[in-house]
Amino acid sequence: MNAKEITAQLTLEEKASLCSGKDFWTLKGIERLGLRPIMVTDGPHGLRKQAGSADHLGINESVAAACFPAACASSCSFDRDLLREIGEAMGEECLQEQVAVILGPGANIKRSPLCGRNFEYISEDPFLTGELAAALINGVQSRGVGTSLKHFAANNQETRRMTVNSVVDERALREIYLAGFERTVKKSQPWTLMCSYNRLNGIYASDNTRLLTEIPRDEWGFQGLVVTDWGAADDRVQGVRAGLDLEMPGSGGINDAKIVEAVRSGALDEAALDRAVGRVVELILKSQAHARSGYTYDAEAHHNLARRAAAESAVLLKNEGAILPLSGAKGKTVALIGAFAEKPRYQGAGSSKINPFKLENPLEELKKAGFALEYAPGYTLGSEGGRPDETLIRQAAELAAKKDLAVVFAGLPDEYESEGFDRSSMDLPESHTRLIEAVAGANANTVVVLLLGAPVALPWASKVKGILLLYLGGQAVGGAAADLLAGKRDPGGRLAETWPLALEDNPSFLYFPGGSKSVEYRESIFVGYRYYNTVDKPVAYPFGYGLSYTAFEYGNLKLSAGEFKAGGELTVSFTVKNTGTRPGSETAQLYVAPESSKIFRPKMELKGFEKIRLEPGETKTACITLDTRSFAYYNAPDAVWALEGGSYGILIGASSRDIRLRQRITVAGDGREAKLAALREGAPEYFKPGPKLSVSDSSFEALYGRPLPPSERVPGEPFSINSTLDDIKDTPEGQALIQQIIAGIEESFGKGNTDLRQMVDRMLMDMPLRAVGMMSGGKMPPQMIAGIVEALNGRGA
């Protein structure tokens, strides 16, 4: 039987039951109709399947699996084929572990470098995001395992992520925050799409018909199932109407009963429920058809892939005097410094944390590579690791002074960036910064290797000769570091995000993370390099940047036509030659740049790229095809993608600020610019953004097209199940509840300062009351939460 036939045989209660999980990780089945429960698990850069029975928080130990480079790293590869390979490997591990769907990839845009979950996300650019997310998904799903594209949508911060209202103008929403999802859906058809916790322009994602049905299904052709992020369901009945098919985890039958009651009372059309159930049944059938009992994957092959991927994703930021690779320093002595060299940070903290079946560290791998080195930790790890240890710093500097070269491993420990909270600054721990400065002062030939998930300030950059960025390179990051430092591999990565000189340079600086109720995206489309390049803002390292151990020369740019019209295609070709003495790879990037505009637009936008591997002296031709969307902007007043006529530059570069070739093309427009051009009077800041972006209330309101919602909770405002613990902390009821929750956390985690305990502690006060019930494991059912809300409001809140 197919999904439609099975759905027709279900009772109303069975239909409702299929729309929520059986437990934290498992969907329900209907035994009499041959539907078996299926399992979904966390990703997105490897498999995190809980070993044994699932607990109500999803935090039990997970089975051993390959930990591939996190998205912050793998995105820098700009390599679709590599991402597909990683996806294939992840799919194979899911088959062995009988997992039907792996939750990932994350396609949220890196709006601010402070977002605590940026290590899980791909880029500040939606085109790159869509290309690489689609490649990973196609790899996973080629093995008969589903994916869950997340977190949909405008979930660009961890602060108050469960309740915050993301206030985004329609053009920015379409061009920046939805475009990566759109491209991914159209190129890969993920089996599931995960809705986010937050509200978008006033409506929770889980209740949002436009977000869950009209845009992905009606406009993009999405065919899969929509699932909540864990605990993200707001109004379950409205969710069914809106197109939310599956609630995870289950509510112990409470929301199932609400669905049944709504159908029986006529408040919910059973046809809407049938659509949701049909998609759940279809997912179960698809998963059952691809399940492979007894399948085993090649663990060593996956480890080798992780090692190669880490090297292909590494970004060489500085290489003064060609100090790298260290193969040119054979016979010289090396001081290896930094606790990360012995215990590397290789993945992010939170729900994506994988239990690797193998873990390499740089210290041992560099010894295997034959380096004559001595090691000094320089700093401690753990809760006190950020505080400088003067003895360790002095010992490290003394060691560095005795050696020909010094290599310092530094970065951000788990307690500095994680799911559940945002960073408060771009600074490295003081212990790491002080160490680097001391070592560089003692040895002029100092190289720094960075292990972290997001950009940091580098006040010491001018004092060292080399900087190698590994981001969070997965379980084989130690081997990859040795391969790169020894010159066995060329650093193949290019930055998928801009590294600003200072936090206040970021266009979202004045508006991130917003107020207690809402966050305003006042920078609109000026995100990342779209802002920095438009205003010619100096940056530490631009989008697309990365050095190589060899050199490349570009030439022979050709366009297939001198004019472009809607519906057409333009083929752009050019050559790249390796002019150095080593094999290497170059990421050639194509940007489209309108030369003049009546509306506000970024100076340039990435619309194509190719990863090209070349032997010394070898030349290859790259071809990139552009279509209508390559030149289009979103016309919000008319709700269409539109073409502005005029001259456009076709720019080919090694980064967004290293343009090697350019030609001009004329685009025939559709003349729709007038309504947007009229904003020049009401929102002038967008037409000439300044070096420090500041947008007035009236300008943002003019762009947003409606009154701005309050950013803070109004005193006396009634409490609800969506009120956070921070909202109620000053009430007697709130204080008692918070103490009860803390006691429960200590019971679950103990009093140790594990990274998971820290994540829960940091996000605790942002948690809404409805989520408290979900996380309680049944100890605080909805009736109890409703009673707490009544008591809070009875006090005249």
Side-chain angles (χ1 to χ4, degrees):
M1 291 188 291
N2 61 30
K4 186 174 182 181
E5 292 167 338
I6 290 175
T7 301
Q9 296 191 38
L10 296 170
T11 67
L12 176 58
E13 287 76 11
E14 286 173 331
K15 289 177 184 178
S17 75
L18 285 174
C19 291
S20 65
K22 176 183 177 182
D23 55 34
F24 210 86
W25 299 117
T26 311
L27 276 66
K28 298 166 188 163
I30 303 292
E31 187 176 346
R32 68 181 181 83
L33 295 176
L35 293 179
R36 299 188 299 273
I38 61 171
M39 173 173 274
V40 301
T41 65
D42 273 323
H45 56 275
L47 178 66
R48 193 180 81 92
K49 176 189 174 184
Q50 281 190 261
S53 61
D55 62 277
H56 70 279
L57 292 176
I59 58 174
N60 281 349
E61 185 69 20
S62 58
V63 301
C67 178
F68 294 100
C72 59
S74 61
S75 61
C76 295
S77 72
F78 278 71
D79 192 331
R80 301 173 181 88
D81 293 338
L82 178 64
L83 268 292
R84 183 182 174 100
E85 277 190 80
I86 293 172
E88 289 168 353
M90 287 166 53
E92 290 166 5
E93 298 195 16
C94 288
L95 286 176
Q96 175 176 304
E97 298 297 336
Q98 299 182 320
V99 169
V101 176
I102 188 166
L103 305 177
N108 298 97
I109 292 297
K110 297 184 180 185
R111 178 182 177 232
S112 166
L114 297 184
C115 175
R117 212 168 179 179
N118 272 356
F119 62 83
E120 274 193 54
Y121 301 144
I122 294 170
S123 180
E124 66 189 31
D125 181 80
F127 180 85
L128 179 61
T129 294
E131 290 290 298
L132 297 187
L136 185 79
I137 288 169
N138 283 328
V140 174
Q141 296 186 171
S142 73
R143 296 303 189 254
V145 174
T147 57
S148 195
L149 180 64
K150 61 183 187 179
H151 307 88
F152 193 64
N155 172 202
N156 308 98
Q157 63 190 59
E158 293 299 284
T159 304
R160 296 179 296 281
R161 65 174 176 167
M162 290 187 168
T163 58
V164 74
N165 180 23
S166 297
V167 181
V168 193
D169 73 271
E170 184 69 11
R171 186 174 168 204
L173 186 65
R174 295 295 192 139
E175 292 187 19
I176 305 296
Y177 298 101
L178 296 185
F181 287 95
E182 177 186 4
R183 192 166 195 86
T184 305
V185 165
K186 289 179 176 178
K187 296 194 75 170
S188 66
Q189 278 296 336
W191 288 11
T192 76
L193 178 66
M194 183 189 292
C195 79
S196 55
Y197 292 110
N198 57 288
R199 290 175 290 161
L200 174 58
N201 293 330
I203 305 173
Y204 276 102
S206 63
D207 299 339
N208 197 321
T209 304
R210 184 165 179 260
L211 188 66
L212 302 187
T213 297
E214 293 171 7
I215 291 175
R217 296 194 188 280
D218 300 344
E219 294 185 28
W220 302 347
F222 175 60
Q223 300 297 314
L225 170 150
V226 176
V227 59
T228 62
D229 201 342
W230 267 229
D234 174 48
D235 179 335
R236 189 65 190 98
V237 173
Q238 170 55 25
V240 174
R241 292 191 198 99
L244 176 64
D245 305 309
L246 176 64
E247 174 190 12
M248 288 297 288
S251 61
I254 292 166
N255 280 341
D256 300 351
K258 289 180 180 179
I259 292 172
V260 170
E261 181 184 349
V263 172
R264 286 185 172 151
S265 70
L268 176 65
D269 187 345
E270 190 167 359
L273 176 59
D274 287 349
R275 284 192 292 272
V277 174
R279 291 169 190 143
V280 175
V281 172
E282 188 174 345
L283 177 66
I284 295 172
L285 291 176
K286 191 186 299 185
S287 301
Q288 289 181 176
H290 287 95
R292 295 174 64 179
S293 179
Y295 181 90
T296 58
Y297 67 88
D298 185 337
E300 194 58 29
H302 288 191
H303 180 77
N304 292 337
L305 171 59
R307 184 163 176 162
R308 173 163 57 89
E312 286 292 336
S313 305
V315 184
L316 183 58
L317 297 178
K318 184 176 183 180
N319 199 18
E320 183 182 328
I323 193 170
L324 294 177
L326 299 180
S327 55
K330 285 207 170 174
K332 293 188 177 181
T333 56
V334 178
L336 184 63
I337 295 168
F340 276 173
E342 187 176 20
K343 295 181 179 179
R345 180 154 184 254
Y346 59 95
Q347 64 175 327
S351 64
S352 68
K353 197 149 197 177
I354 292 156
N355 176 22
F357 59 72
K358 185 176 183 179
L359 180 60
E360 296 173 345
N361 73 67
L363 174 59
E364 294 304 319
E365 294 300 318
L366 284 165
K367 286 180 180 177
K368 290 178 187 177
F371 285 99
L373 55 84
E374 283 188 60
Y375 166 70
Y379 52 84
T380 59
L381 298 176
S383 59
E384 298 297 316
R387 188 176 301 164
D389 185 314
E390 300 300 338
T391 300
L392 292 180
I393 292 173
R394 186 184 71 252
Q395 291 171 348
E398 289 172 353
L399 176 63
K402 298 174 186 176
K403 304 297 180 181
D404 299 314
L405 300 158
V407 178
V408 181
F409 277 74
L412 292 174
D414 278 341
E415 55 267 25
Y416 277 72
E417 56 178 353
S418 168
E419 177 184 353
F421 62 88
D422 296 319
R423 290 192 292 160
S424 58
S425 79
M426 280 179 54
D427 295 336
L428 285 173
E430 187 182 357
S431 57
H432 293 229
T433 296
R434 289 273 305 281
L435 175 67
I436 294 168
E437 290 174 341
V439 171
N443 191 317
N445 295 313
T446 294
V447 172
V448 176
V449 180
L450 292 171
L451 303 177
L452 37 69
V456 293
L458 306 175
W460 40 261
S462 63
K463 301 173 185 177
V464 301
K465 284 194 174 178
I467 305 175
L468 179 62
L469 172 63
L470 297 180
Y471 275 109
L472 301 177
Q475 68 180 48
V477 70
D483 292 342
L484 292 161
L485 292 171
K488 188 175 178 181
R489 290 190 180 276
D490 185 64
R494 305 295 184 264
L495 290 178
E497 60 186 327
T498 306
W499 278 47
L501 285 168
L503 176 61
E504 54 266 31
D505 294 340
N506 183 266
S508 70
F509 173 68
L510 295 176
Y511 313 110
F512 181 96
S516 62
K517 294 192 71 171
S518 69
V519 53
E520 296 172 350
Y521 288 47
R522 292 201 185 197
E523 69 278 6
S524 186
I525 61 172
F526 292 113
V527 177
Y529 74 88
R530 284 170 167 78
Y531 170 71
Y532 298 116
N533 289 3
T534 298
V535 301
D536 295 321
K537 186 84 173 176
V539 298
Y541 303 105
F543 177 86
Y545 171 84
L547 303 174
S548 170
Y549 292 158
T550 187
F552 303 97
E553 182 180 277
Y554 290 66
N556 301 311
L557 175 60
K558 296 178 182 178
L559 309 185
S560 60
E563 296 183 356
F564 182 87
K565 295 181 180 179
E569 287 189 344
L570 177 72
T571 301
V572 180
S573 65
F574 54 93
T575 59
V576 180
K577 180 180 180 179
N578 183 344
T579 59
T581 59
R582 289 175 169 270
S585 60
E586 175 70 321
T587 297
Q589 301 153 44
L590 188 156
Y591 297 88
V592 170
E595 295 189 348
S596 63
S597 177
K598 295 177 183 176
I599 62 175
F600 63 88
R601 302 187 72 169
K603 183 177 182 178
M604 61 203 302
E605 296 182 278
L606 181 75
K607 297 299 179 182
F609 61 88
E610 289 296 327
K611 185 78 171 272
I612 306 165
R613 291 174 176 80
L614 296 163
E615 295 296 318
E618 185 180 12
T619 300
K620 288 184 180 178
T621 299
C623 290
I624 297 174
T625 300
L626 302 180
D627 58 16
T628 302
R629 278 290 290 273
S630 304
F631 300 94
Y633 69 95
Y634 191 77
N635 189 300
D638 293 342
V640 295
W641 287 95
L643 279 180
E644 183 179 20
S647 294
Y648 288 72
I650 304 298
L651 315 180
I652 308 297
S655 82
S656 63
R657 292 200 173 178
D658 183 8
I659 302 303
R660 306 290 182 88
L661 305 169
R662 66 179 70 218
Q663 279 197 31
R664 180 180 294 161
I665 188 169
T666 301
V667 173
D670 52 29
R672 289 182 178 268
E673 302 89 49
K675 293 176 185 175
L676 278 178
L679 279 172
R680 187 180 293 273
E681 295 296 322
E685 296 96 324
Y686 295 106
F687 290 82
K688 194 173 182 180
K692 190 165 189 176
L693 191 65
S694 177
V695 178
S696 68
D697 292 355
S698 60
S699 289
F700 185 55
E701 191 166 282
L703 179 65
Y704 187 56
R706 70 199 96 160
L708 299 179
S711 61
E712 302 289 351
R713 186 174 182 274
V714 178
E717 183 179 332
F719 294 109
S720 73
I721 60 171
N722 287 318
S723 296
T724 66
L725 294 181
D726 188 64
D727 291 337
I728 68 171
K729 69 179 185 299
D730 295 327
T731 68
E733 293 84 358
Q735 291 165 4
L737 179 60
I738 291 167
Q739 289 304 312
Q740 184 178 349
I741 292 169
I742 290 172
I745 291 171
E746 290 180 352
E747 180 182 338
S748 297
F749 295 90
K751 295 188 178 182
N753 189 29
T754 65
D755 59 324
L756 194 55
R757 166 68 193 271
Q758 178 185 257
M759 181 191 83
V760 173
D761 285 349
R762 293 282 294 271
M763 65 186 288
L764 177 63
M765 300 307 291
D766 288 343
M767 194 175 293
L769 290 172
R770 61 179 166 83
V772 169
M774 188 269 292
M775 299 295 279
S776 73
K779 294 178 182 178
M780 294 183 187
Q783 302 94 316
M784 181 181 291
I785 298 298
I788 291 170
V789 171
E790 284 185 19
L792 287 165
N793 288 326
R795 295 190 60 83

